[in-house]
Amino acid sequence: MLLKTIIIDDEPAICSELEYLLKKYIDIQVDAIYTNPLEALPHIINSEPDLLMLDIQMPGMNGLEFAKTLNQMSNPPLIVFSTAYHEHALEAFSTLAVGYLTKPIMESKLDDVIQKVRTLRKRAAMNDRTATVPLMEEHVCIRKSNKIIPIPVGQIYFAFVREKDLYVATKESIDKCDLSLNELEEILNRSRSFFRSHRNYILNVKYIKEIIPWFNHTYLIKMNDDSQTDIPVSRGRMKAFRGLMNL
């Protein structure tokens, strides 16, 4: 299955380079190239491409704003961001982007992103074939004031174990959950937004506010909850975290 692809970057040289790099993938078809996202919008709406290679730093409307506009489509394309500025990485993960490339683009990083795109497209096609009824958003149950309350997993900022008990944090509160951390991780992994940063912590990468270099070449993650909670990344999870966040 060919993946219809559109490249948007305000630098023509970068567009040409990306088009050249993408030629080696037999299932990638570059359908159009634009240097202005607003000019590309009508074509995207009409042609419904599978993949958008999108620059972030552009005049008029930047790539992050443009991606949020596309999320209103009934069938938005998968988005891979590219930029020379590392500080945009966290903002990119707050959108529905599936990948993030830093300039100059390394072929090995592009290989990884294209493989991820293929996997997601294959999974989506399989779901389309097997779906019979609309799926409810996954949820877990917490205990609050002697009540059991289900919450959507998308509202979970992080979870942690303290004295053998599991706690789940949303933006405003932290409440006990009867699952084990491993059981919760199995559920959260299906959303592809969560990362096990430490044996006692799982975090939602969409709600990361800052990544702070810490001792022993590790990181401390400041979350975007009301308390701006700090969460450690253990040394054993550093490689996986750097790969996830393109650090």
Side-chain angles (χ1 to χ4, degrees), residues 161 166 179-185 196 199-202:
V161 172
L166 176 66
L179 298 172
S180 70
L181 189 61
N182 288 337
E183 289 171 335
L184 178 63
E185 182 181 20
R196 182 80 173 259
R199 64 187 177 90
N200 289 331
Y201 289 90
I202 297 174

Side-chain angles (χ1 to χ4, degrees), residues 79 181 211 220:
I79 296 174
L181 189 61
I211 301 173
L220 192 65

Side-chain angles (χ1 to χ4, degrees), residues 78-195:
L78 297 176
I79 296 174
V80 174
F81 282 117
S82 62
T83 185
Y85 302 95
H86 290 270
E87 60 266 26
H88 291 304
L90 291 182
E91 293 178 86
F93 275 93
S94 70
T95 71
L96 296 181
V98 299
Y100 179 91
L101 298 169
T102 54
K103 300 175 184 177
I105 294 170
M106 298 174 57
E107 289 192 51
S108 61
K109 293 289 187 181
L110 184 59
D111 286 341
D112 292 341
V113 166
I114 294 301
Q115 187 55 49
K116 184 175 182 181
V117 168
R118 288 168 174 159
T119 300
L120 292 175
R121 272 299 171 195
K122 188 180 297 184
R123 187 178 298 160
M126 189 177 300
N127 289 341
D128 288 342
R129 287 195 297 269
T130 59
T132 56
V133 294
L135 297 177
M136 293 177 59
E137 182 178 2
E138 196 125 33
H139 65 273
V140 298
C141 291
I142 59 172
R143 290 187 177 273
K144 188 187 289 281
S145 302
N146 295 321
K147 296 179 181 178
I148 298 176
I149 301 174
I151 59 171
V153 297
Q155 294 182 12
I156 297 175
Y157 278 55
F158 58 91
F160 62 94
V161 172
R162 179 183 295 161
E163 296 180 356
K164 298 184 179 181
D165 289 326
L166 176 66
Y167 294 88
V168 169
T170 59
K171 182 173 177 59
E172 304 90 4
S173 66
I174 297 176
D175 300 284
K176 192 173 179 180
C177 177
D178 291 338
L179 298 172
S180 70
L181 189 61
N182 288 337
E183 289 171 335
L184 178 63
E185 182 181 20
E186 184 176 344
I187 295 170
L188 298 182
N189 280 347
R190 294 196 280 267
S191 77
R192 302 190 299 275
S193 296
F194 290 84
F195 178 75

Side-chain angles (χ1 to χ4, degrees), residues 37-76:
L38 295 179
E39 291 177 2
L41 185 57
H43 183 85
I44 293 171
I45 293 172
N46 291 328
S47 66
E48 293 191 341
D50 302 295
L51 175 62
L52 192 61
M53 307 296 292
L54 183 61
D55 186 26
I56 289 183
Q57 201 71 10
M58 293 184 290
M61 175 181 284
N62 69 38
L64 295 168
E65 295 168 343
F66 189 63
K68 291 172 183 176
T69 299
L70 296 181
N71 289 343
Q72 299 174 26
M73 294 174 58
S74 59
N75 186 29

